[in-house]
């Protein structure tokens, strides 16, 4: 767009450098363990949860704001700009038992 031959450093009209930010993220991932001894054998019960609040933590959005038409040298705004494309995942819980001797 700025005709320097390097498309990696072009800034679209209406934006300043480093102005594109993702939404904040919050993920609570607790782990609870209980160890029970039976003589020389230990049983460890484990409960884990990931993203307990089941929050949609957006990790990527569509960053294409304009469509560029080279022959006409025009920019056309796109409606999909800023829509989430990747999320960190839903709530997950797991249980485990570990035996050591």
């Amino acid at each position: 767009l700025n005709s320097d031959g390097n498309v990696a450093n072009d800034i679209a009209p209406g934006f300043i450098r480093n102005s594109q930010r993702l939404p904040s993220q919050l993920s609570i991932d607790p782990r609870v363990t209980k160890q029970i001894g039976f003589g020389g054998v230990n049983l460890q019960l484990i409960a884990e949860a990931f993203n307990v609040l089941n929050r949609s933590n957006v990790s990527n959005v569509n960053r294409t704001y304009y469509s560029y038409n080279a022959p006409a040298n025009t920019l056309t705004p796109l409606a999909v700009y800023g829509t989430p494309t990747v999320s960190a995942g839903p709530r997950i819980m797991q249980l485990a038992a570990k035996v050591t001797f």
Side-chain angles (χ1 to χ4, degrees), residues 1-29:
L1 293 175
N2 60 11
S3 299
D4 68 352
N6 183 359
V7 297
N9 68 355
D10 289 340
I11 300 173
F15 292 95
I16 59 172
R17 188 167 301 282
N18 298 325
S19 65
Q20 305 303 304
R21 302 280 186 214
L22 291 175
S24 64
Q25 295 190 6
L26 174 65
S27 183
I28 299 175
D29 304 332

Side-chain angles (χ1 to χ4, degrees), residues 1-85:
L1 293 175
N2 60 11
S3 299
D4 68 352
N6 183 359
V7 297
N9 68 355
D10 289 340
I11 300 173
F15 292 95
I16 59 172
R17 188 167 301 282
N18 298 325
S19 65
Q20 305 303 304
R21 302 280 186 214
L22 291 175
S24 64
Q25 295 190 6
L26 174 65
S27 183
I28 299 175
D29 304 332
R31 176 182 171 133
V32 178
T33 61
K34 172 71 176 172
Q35 187 154 332
I36 304 168
F38 298 108
V41 178
N42 289 320
L43 173 65
Q44 189 175 34
L45 302 174
I46 304 165
E48 294 178 312
F50 304 96
N51 193 11
V52 172
L53 302 177
N54 202 26
R55 182 176 166 163
S56 178
N57 290 311
V58 175
S59 57
N60 198 12
V61 295
N62 188 329
R63 297 177 190 267
T64 306
Y65 188 68
Y66 290 106
S67 172
Y68 178 64
N69 184 348
N73 199 25
T74 59
L75 295 174
T76 306
L78 298 176
V80 295
Y81 172 75
T83 57
T85 58

